[in-house]
Amino acid sequence: MALALPAQDRASPLTAQPPLRRGLRKNERAVRIPRVSVVIVNYRLWEETGRLVRQLLEAPCVRRGAAEVVIVDNHSPSHELARRLRRWRGVSRRRCGPNRGFARAVNEGCRLSQGGWILLLNPDITVAADFLDDVLALTERLALEEPDAGIVGFGLRNADGSCQFSSGPFPTLVQTLARLVLPRTRRKYHLLQTRHRCRVPWVTGCCLLLRRECLNQLGGLDRDFFLYYEDVDLCRRAAALGWGVCFEPALQAVHHHPLHLRAIPAYMRLLTRHALLTYASKHWPRWQFRLLARLVQWEARLRQYGASRRNDHTGAEVFAQLRAIALDLGLSRQRAAQRRLHWVIRREERRRAPSRGNCNP
C-alpha cells in the first residue's frame, strides 16, 4: 500500500475540533462494541490524518459507537495535532517505536481495534460524510449475500474526479517485464468496467475492508513487506484459503497521491523493488525469482552509474544498497537484506529529521 504526499488546498484541522455532539440519544448509547474499526497508519502526515479523521467523525455510526478510529503512528516527528487527536471521542492513537513498516503498523492497529470488520485507509484519502455508514451497511449485506467475502476494495477517484485503478492481476515474471512498456498507471493495475460487486484477484490497500475472521486466519499482513505489495500478498493468501476478494464500485473515495502519479526518487524505488522481490520470493518459481533478482541488480547498477554521473551521491549510495539487497535475497540471505533495508530507512529518516513538515518515506 502507498503512503501519500500531503494533499493541498484543504482546511487545516489544527485550530478546529471534531464536530461531535457531547450528548447522545438513548438509542445511540446502546452500541457498546464497534462493528467497524477504521485503522489509519500515519507517517509524517498528521495534517492529512487529521482531515480524514474529521471526515470520519461526521458519520452517525461513530457518534453512536458502531465505528471507531484507530491511528497508528510509525514514529513520526512530534506534532501538535498528535496530542489533540487523543482527546477526540471515538479516536485512539498508538505510537510505534522505530519505523518497521506499514504491515507491522497495520497489524498493531488491528490488534488494538475491536470491530468485526477493519477498514484500512491511507491518510490522503477523502471520504463523503455517509461513507462510513455505507460501509457498515455493506458489511450487513455481505453477511447475507457473500458470507465468504474476506476482503473488499472500493472504487477510487483522482482529485479531478477521473477513475483511478484499484485492482489488477497477480504479478508474474512475464507480465511484470511486458508491462514495462505501458504507462505507470497500467503496469500493476487494470481497469474494471463494472457497476456491480464482483470477485477480483486483489485490491489495493489504500482503501480496504477486511473481515477480522479472515485476517486472523491469515495471521495479519506479512511483516516481511516494509511498504507495497503487502496488499497483493494478503489477497493471494486469502484466496488460497477460500476467502473471496471483492471489488465494490458503489462505494467510492478520493485517493489524492497514488504512487504511480508521482515522481519516484531513489529511496522509493528501493522500497518498491524490495517489495516486488519479497513477493516473488514467496509466490514465484525459484528460477523466476532468481532471474528477477539478477535483473534488479543490473537495473540498480545502471541507476547507480547514472546517479554518479549527475553527482547525486545519495542516490548512488541507495542504488548500491539496492544491488546488495537484491543479491542477498537471491542467495536466500533474508536477514542480511532486512538489515540493509532498515539501515537505508534509518539513514533517510535522519537525513530528513530537521523538517517538521509533512513528507513521505
Side-chain angles (χ1 to χ4, degrees):
M1 171 177 293
L3 295 183
L5 289 173
Q8 303 295 327
D9 299 326
R10 283 177 282 172
S12 172
L14 294 177
T15 58
Q17 295 297 323
L20 292 181
R21 296 171 299 168
R22 293 192 177 276
L24 298 178
R25 290 197 197 84
K26 185 176 180 180
N27 62 339
E28 290 181 332
R29 298 192 192 105
V31 179
R32 298 293 183 182
I33 299 177
R35 290 154 58 191
V36 174
S37 297
V38 182
V39 174
I40 303 170
V41 177
N42 173 77
Y43 180 70
R44 298 176 176 243
L45 290 169
W46 279 117
E47 292 191 8
E48 284 62 46
T49 298
R51 293 186 184 100
L52 175 59
V53 171
R54 281 182 54 80
Q55 293 165 8
L56 295 169
L57 293 183
E58 293 176 357
C61 62
V62 177
R63 295 198 292 266
R64 67 175 186 269
E68 64 173 345
V69 179
V70 179
I71 303 170
V72 180
D73 177 49
N74 249 344
H75 204 65
S76 303
S78 61
H79 196 289
E80 179 186 359
L81 185 56
R83 294 186 295 271
R84 295 192 178 204
L85 281 170
R86 190 186 293 274
R87 299 194 296 268
W88 292 5
R89 186 184 296 118
V91 178
S92 59
R93 180 176 70 87
R94 175 66 179 269
R95 187 174 190 268
C96 295
N99 183 2
R100 294 293 181 180
F102 178 77
R104 288 175 181 262
V106 167
N107 290 344
E108 178 66 7
C110 294
R111 184 186 70 83
L112 296 171
S113 65
Q114 304 178 70
W117 290 84
I118 300 164
L119 177 64
L120 303 184
L121 292 179
N122 268 23
D124 68 329
I125 291 287
T126 295
V127 297
D130 57 352
F131 178 80
L132 203 49
D133 287 277
D134 289 342
V135 169
L136 196 62
L138 174 64
T139 64
E140 297 173 354
R141 294 197 302 272
L142 289 174
L144 298 175
E145 301 169 3
E146 297 188 67
D148 66 333
I151 302 176
V152 184
F154 305 114
L156 296 178
R157 294 285 175 180
N158 295 307
D160 62 2
S162 59
C163 181
Q164 185 179 124
F165 299 164
S166 58
S167 178
F170 288 126
T172 65
L173 177 63
V174 173
Q175 169 214 324
T176 299
L177 297 178
R179 286 184 169 230
L180 290 175
V181 302
L182 297 176
R184 284 173 53 203
T185 55
R186 297 292 301 275
R187 291 178 188 175
K188 186 179 176 183
Y189 304 90
H190 61 198
L191 178 62
L192 288 173
Q193 295 180 324
T194 178
R195 296 183 178 179
H196 305 285
R197 189 188 320 138
C198 62
R199 298 293 175 99
V200 294
W202 65 270
V203 283
T204 183
C206 70
C207 184
L208 189 68
L209 183 65
L210 304 169
R211 189 190 296 266
R212 184 177 294 276
E213 182 184 354
C214 172
L215 191 65
N216 289 343
Q217 188 174 355
L218 294 171
L221 276 65
D222 192 327
R223 298 182 300 174
D224 288 344
F225 293 89
F226 184 85
L227 187 63
Y228 304 116
Y229 281 94
E230 68 284 317
D231 46 7
V232 186
D233 169 81
L234 185 74
C235 292
R236 184 161 187 161
R237 290 189 291 124
L241 292 179
W243 291 101
V245 179
C246 304
F247 172 72
E248 176 54 82
L251 273 69
Q252 298 195 353
V254 177
H255 185 201
H256 290 274
H257 299 285
L259 179 67
H260 55 263
L261 294 182
R262 293 189 259 141
I264 308 297
Y267 173 62
M268 292 299 292
R269 201 172 294 276
L270 180 144
L271 294 182
T272 59
R273 295 299 185 267
H274 172 268
L276 179 59
L277 286 168
T278 301
Y279 178 88
S281 70
K282 295 175 181 293
H283 299 294
W284 293 3
R286 186 66 184 172
W287 71 270
Q288 292 187 11
F289 162 65
R290 288 183 171 177
L291 177 56
L292 177 67
R294 188 66 60 86
L295 292 173
V296 171
Q297 291 178 56
W298 278 104
E299 179 197 16
R301 184 190 297 271
L302 292 173
R303 292 188 182 276
Q304 180 185 1
Y305 174 75
S308 298
R309 291 290 301 272
R310 298 190 302 270
N311 292 320
D312 178 7
H313 303 298
T314 299
E317 176 59 26
V318 169
F319 288 125
Q321 291 297 324
L322 176 57
R323 286 177 56 198
I325 288 172
L327 176 61
D328 286 336
L329 290 175
L331 296 176
S332 299
R333 299 193 301 235
Q334 281 81 7
R335 288 188 178 182
Q338 285 288 338
R339 286 195 297 268
R340 291 184 185 277
L341 174 68
H342 288 292
W343 181 86
V344 174
I345 292 166
R346 298 288 89 79
R347 193 188 71 161
E348 179 70 11
E349 290 181 338
R350 289 193 300 270
R351 185 178 71 85
R352 294 162 53 186
S355 174
R356 295 179 61 88
N358 290 332
C359 47
N360 198 37

